[in-house]
Amino acid sequence: MIMVRFFFSTMDRVQRRFNLFGSKWYGCLILLFTLAFVSKSFGQCSAGADIVLPCVNGIVPSTAVLLATPVGGTWSNAAGNPTVATFTPNTAATLAGNLQAGTYEFIYTTSIPTSCSDIVQVTVPNCQSLCLPVEVSDTLVCAGSVIDLTSLVSGFDTLLSSAFTIGGVGGIAVGDPTAFVANSTTTITLLSSNLLGCTDTTTLTINVNLLDIAASDTLVCAGSVLDLTSLVSGFDTLLNVGFDLGGIAIANPTAFVADSTTVLTITASNLLGCADTTTLTINVGLLNLAASVSDTSVCAGSVLNLTGLVSGFDTLLNVGFVLDGVAVANATAFVADSTVTLMVTASTALGCSDTTTLTINVGPLDIVVSDTLVCAGSVLDLTSLVSGFDNLLNVAFDLGGIDIANASAFVADSTVTLTVTASNLLGCSDTTQLTVNVNPLPNAGSDTTLVCIGNSVPKSL
């Protein structure tokens, strides 16, 4: 009854709209509307409800079940479908696998109980657009930073599941991805899925900036003025660089005066906020010639190699020897006639220089003897006549070219002049003359024997 009232109400609106009442076509029009309306309203046939296919793991199913009533009809493709489907009873399927994205219309036709046809609409989504790769953002942090890995995944909250691992799929699981501690550069694998059933595997790289201040130790001369910043690699890229000596900050690191070997502490950070501390050693080369030069003692006339008196001579530069303001021309063959003091100057490869003195003590051996006067036949110890005899070496006494065999028991019968030679520990030698003056005994004449004259001796000779 309701359907009949709806039908006539509809027809009344059509008549008023087109003024068909009274027309000779009115009866025919009523008949056509009646047949059409009754056929559809009473469900002669149905192609089923329209279908929107789901994406499963980013893929559309290759088949779709079409539930038509009554069963036993036939299916066909409507014109303009994205691809042409083939059919099995109650089923539409593509010939080439997955259905191409778009909207399909399939026509169902049956003659049971009467001839009837209906259309069902099947919508195939673009799964590729719905299953886009998960986007992650690699990052750069300081060593020891605590990172929320989920914040580096675009749309993380829309994911159905997620797993972070180190060492690829199936690697070591990250226990708490919201508090990951990065000590070194690490590649993390993310396996995820979303509500559409799409799955994705991607990698996330945590680059760790190991701020390692590189400072170059140096060697300079005492009193040198240094720019400490020039000894720090990449100084201009660092922030808050500080130089500290024994807990006291260096006020002007570009003009640091090095008086002795010093170890400085350097602290710095970078744009990421990473910080580091290291040490810088300033080795000071104190050229001390006084400790390298050795005074010496030689014999008069000795030829000296002055360079041999300077320790480490071969490591020095511009070594010079000056005597009374005049440079010694040949320092390897210096003749020492008397004790002298030379000025020695030198420098090093660093440019350090120093001056000291070198004393050449010349010991001329001068044998001192004492001439003497003795009685003829006296026995003399000639060595006692030589001053400092015990300090001399190779002392010899010569008389007319003949060595005195026993100088400690020389018998002087007449005045003689002896030649004395000797040397000392330096190898110096000398020769001198020693005169032994002999005083002859007085002559009392010949011995006399008195003759008795008579019974008496002569009272005089």
Side-chain angles (χ1 to χ4, degrees):
M1 179 64 71
I2 293 174
M3 295 180 65
V4 173
R5 286 180 180 176
F6 173 77
F7 168 72
F8 282 106
S9 174
T10 300
M11 290 305 301
D12 182 60
R13 288 195 297 271
V14 172
Q15 187 275 333
R16 287 197 300 270
R17 175 70 180 269
F18 296 99
N19 194 24
L20 294 176
F21 285 107
S23 169
K24 65 180 181 180
W25 299 105
Y26 180 72
C28 294
L29 183 60
I30 291 297
L31 179 60
L32 291 174
F33 267 92
T34 299
L35 292 173
F37 180 79
V38 171
S39 174
K40 185 66 176 178
S41 299
F42 285 92
Q44 288 283 332
C45 65
S46 172
D50 292 341
I51 300 173
V52 177
L53 296 180
C55 290
V56 179
N57 293 333
I59 301 175
V60 177
S62 60
T63 61
V65 177
L66 305 178
L67 299 177
T69 59
V71 297
T74 59
W75 290 95
S76 63
N77 287 273
N81 279 353
T83 58
V84 176
T86 58
F87 305 96
T88 58
N90 294 327
T91 302
T94 60
L95 294 173
N98 295 344
L99 293 171
Q100 181 177 328
T103 301
Y104 293 77
E105 289 186 344
F106 299 114
I107 304 170
Y108 182 70
T109 303
T110 182
S111 59
I112 303 174
T114 59
S115 179
C116 174
S117 65
D118 193 17
I119 296 175
V120 68
Q121 192 175 80
V122 177
T123 301
V124 178
N126 184 350
C127 291
Q128 290 184 346
S129 65
L130 297 177
C131 290
L132 295 175
V134 176
E135 294 184 1
V136 296
S137 301
D138 294 341
T139 190
L140 177 64
V141 298
C142 302
S145 297
V146 179
I147 304 166
D148 181 358
L149 299 179
T150 66
S151 68
L152 303 176
V153 180
S154 178
F156 179 82
D157 293 337
T158 66
L159 297 178
L160 181 62
S161 66
S162 62
F164 296 88
T165 60
I166 299 174
V169 177
I172 301 174
V174 176
D176 183 1
T178 62
F180 177 74
V181 179
N183 293 315
S184 60
T185 295
T186 305
T187 298
I188 297 174
T189 300
L190 169 61
L191 179 63
S192 62
S193 65
N194 59 21
L195 294 173
L196 296 173
C198 306
T199 60
D200 186 54
T201 301
T202 188
T203 57
L204 170 65
T205 301
I206 309 297
N207 296 289
V208 173
N209 186 326
L210 299 171
L211 178 58
D212 186 9
I213 303 174
S216 301
D217 295 341
T218 189
L219 177 63
V220 299
C221 302
S224 297
V225 179
L226 290 175
D227 180 0
L228 299 178
T229 67
S230 67
L231 302 176
V232 179
S233 177
F235 177 84
D236 294 336
T237 65
L238 299 175
L239 301 176
N240 307 314
V241 182
F243 298 85
D244 178 283
L245 176 59
I248 300 174
I250 304 299
N252 185 4
T254 60
F256 178 73
V257 179
D259 293 317
S260 60
T261 295
T262 304
V263 177
L264 302 168
T265 299
I266 305 176
T267 57
S269 60
N270 58 19
L271 292 172
L272 289 173
C274 309
D276 189 33
T277 300
T278 191
T279 58
L280 170 65
T281 301
I282 310 298
N283 295 290
V284 174
L286 298 172
L287 176 57
N288 186 0
L289 278 179
S292 302
V293 171
S294 302
D295 293 340
T296 190
S297 296
V298 297
C299 301
S302 296
V303 178
L304 291 175
N305 180 1
L306 299 179
T307 66
L309 302 176
V310 180
S311 177
F313 176 83
D314 293 335
T315 65
L316 299 175
L317 301 176
N318 308 313
V319 182
F321 299 88
V322 177
L323 177 60
D324 297 331
V326 179
V328 176
N330 187 358
T332 60
F334 178 75
V335 178
D337 293 318
S338 60
T339 296
V340 293
T341 297
L342 302 164
M343 296 297 297
V344 184
T345 59
S347 61
T348 64
L350 290 173
C352 310
S353 59
D354 192 27
T355 300
T356 191
T357 57
L358 169 63
T359 298
I360 309 298
N361 295 291
V362 175
L365 178 58
D366 185 10
I367 302 174
V368 178
V369 296
S370 299
D371 293 340
T372 189
L373 174 64
V374 296
C375 296
S378 297
V379 179
L380 292 175
D381 180 0
L382 299 179
T383 65
S384 65
L385 302 177
V386 179
S387 177
F389 175 84
D390 292 336
N391 297 321
L392 299 176
L393 301 176
N394 307 313
V395 181
F397 299 87
D398 175 279
L399 178 58
I402 300 173
D403 289 336
I404 302 301
N406 187 358
S408 61
F410 177 73
V411 178
D413 293 320
S414 60
T415 296
V416 292
T417 298
L418 301 168
T419 300
V420 183
T421 59
S423 62
N424 59 18
L425 292 173
L426 291 173
C428 308
S429 59
D430 189 33
T431 300
T432 190
Q433 303 295 319
L434 171 61
T435 300
V436 178
N437 296 285
V438 175
N439 189 355
L441 294 174
N443 188 355
S446 300
D447 294 340
T448 302
T449 301
L450 295 180
V451 177
C452 293
I453 300 176
N455 293 320
S456 61
V457 177
K459 295 181 179 180
S460 61
L461 295 175

